[in-house]
């Protein structure tokens, strides 16, 4: 099993729709979680951190489910400009600290 | 504020040639990283540094060397390029380790023929 797994998509949604992605992780001791956004042929950029209690930033909501070992990203009222690949990042700090990227989920928002 | 700057943006090498990728950050970050990104593989860590004068191996270090002589610069070297090193290379920096967000450069597209 991969350490961090994401559905590659693409998720094709119309403008205004709500869409959600999940990211599962295998290390139950993982400690920090992030969502990054990567536009085509560009560098990844931090979208938001994921906190234990869940957090929201405008149209974006991130959730953590430790029991089932996954994080989620919900995008409400999708815009054309939301079209991108969304990468989840999971970190573990211990005797062998590690930061692992998922391979990303591609979102295409259409008119 | 430039953030993280990588040079060059594009490069084509022949097998066996060498080159150095340059990364500079102006955020006074302690931690710097080199990643490669290949289709379907995600970002994989090549080497990283936790401070000036220190370097460590990441997930895929073979065929690469690094140096961090100054805090703001992190160099990635390919001594003898191979076609398997065709990839997009990203440099990143962070304030702290693992729990801090990464700031990425624009990337270097390298093709080895």
């Amino acid at each position: 099993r991969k350490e961090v797994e994401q559905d590659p998509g693409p998720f094709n949604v119309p403008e205004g729709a709500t869409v959600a992605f999940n990211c599962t992780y295998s290390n139950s001791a993982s400690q920090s979680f992030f969502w990054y956004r990567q536009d085509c042929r560009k560098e990844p950029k931090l979208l938001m951190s994921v906190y234990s209690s869940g957090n929201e930033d405008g149209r974006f909501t991130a959730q953590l489910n430790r029991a089932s070992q996954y994080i989620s990203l919900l995008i409400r009222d999708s815009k054309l400009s939301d079209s991108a690949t969304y990468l989840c990042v999971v970190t573990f700090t211990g005797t062998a600290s590690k930061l692992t990227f998922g391979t990303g989920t591609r979102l295409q928002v259409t008119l | 504020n430039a953030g993280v700057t990588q040079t060059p943006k594009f490069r084509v090498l022949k097998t066996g040639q060498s080159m150095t990728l340059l990364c500079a950050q102006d955020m006074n970050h302690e931690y710097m990283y080199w990643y490669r990104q290949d289709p379907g593989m995600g970002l994989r860590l090549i080497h990283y540094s936790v401070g000036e004068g220190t370097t460590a191996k990441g997930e895929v270090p073979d065929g690469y060397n690094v140096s961090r002589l100054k805090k703001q610069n992190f160099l990635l070297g390919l001594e003898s390029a191979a076609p398997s090193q065709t990839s997009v290379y990203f440099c990143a920096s962070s304030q702290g380790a693992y729990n801090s967000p990464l700031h990425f450069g624009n990337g270097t597209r390298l093709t080895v023929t």
Side-chain angles (χ1 to χ4, degrees):
Chain A
R1 181 182 174 187
K2 284 185 181 178
E3 292 180 67
V4 178
E5 289 198 77
Q6 294 184 254
D7 181 341
F11 284 57
N12 294 301
V13 302
E15 213 175 6
T18 296
V19 62
F21 317 128
N22 284 345
C23 167
T24 59
Y25 58 94
S26 61
N27 186 345
S28 60
S30 296
Q31 295 167 304
S32 297
F33 308 88
F34 304 90
W35 283 104
Y36 282 74
R37 172 196 167 121
Q38 186 172 26
D39 293 299
C40 188
R41 302 177 78 84
K42 299 283 190 181
E43 74 276 21
K45 292 184 179 177
L46 179 69
L47 178 65
M48 59 197 302
S49 303
V50 185
Y51 301 122
S52 296
S53 55
N55 47 298
E56 192 173 300
D57 183 1
R59 298 181 293 110
F60 299 83
T61 300
Q63 298 269 351
L64 167 63
N65 185 318
R66 285 196 183 273
S68 300
Q69 293 181 208
Y70 72 88
I71 63 172
S72 64
L73 178 67
L74 179 82
I75 306 175
R76 290 182 298 278
D77 188 22
S78 299
K79 311 290 184 192
L80 293 174
S81 57
D82 293 333
S83 298
T85 297
Y86 292 84
L87 309 173
C88 74
V89 173
V90 176
T91 73
F92 165 70
T93 304
T95 54
S97 299
K98 198 167 182 183
L99 181 155
T100 306
F101 280 85
T103 53
T105 296
R106 193 155 72 87
L107 171 66
Q108 184 67 49
V109 181
T110 57
L111 286 170
Chain B
N1 191 342
V4 180
T5 303
Q6 281 183 241
T7 54
K9 288 186 168 31
F10 304 93
R11 186 72 187 268
V12 178
L13 289 179
K14 292 187 190 314
T15 297
Q17 287 184 318
S18 63
M19 77 164 294
T20 300
L21 281 66
L22 308 179
C23 178
Q25 53 96 2
D26 61 4
M27 296 174 283
N28 202 35
H29 284 171
E30 289 293 337
Y31 297 81
M32 297 188 75
Y33 314 82
W34 276 107
Y35 286 92
R36 61 178 288 174
Q37 187 174 36
D38 303 289
M41 302 289 287
L43 283 149
R44 292 182 292 168
L45 183 64
I46 304 170
H47 285 281
Y48 65 100
S49 168
V50 300
E52 180 180 313
T54 73
T55 63
K57 293 181 180 180
E59 185 184 351
V60 288
D62 294 342
Y64 306 94
N65 57 75
V66 288
S67 65
R68 183 120 180 250
L69 299 179
K70 292 183 178 180
K71 185 177 182 179
Q72 62 268 35
N73 298 333
F74 195 30
L75 279 58
L76 178 70
L78 283 73
E79 291 183 346
S80 179
S84 60
Q85 294 178 304
T86 293
S87 188
V88 180
Y89 292 85
F90 288 103
C91 175
S93 70
S94 65
Q95 181 70 25
Y98 302 105
N99 297 334
S100 299
L102 297 173
H103 298 259
F104 285 88
N106 292 339
T108 297
R109 294 185 176 276
L110 174 67
T111 302
V112 183
T113 61

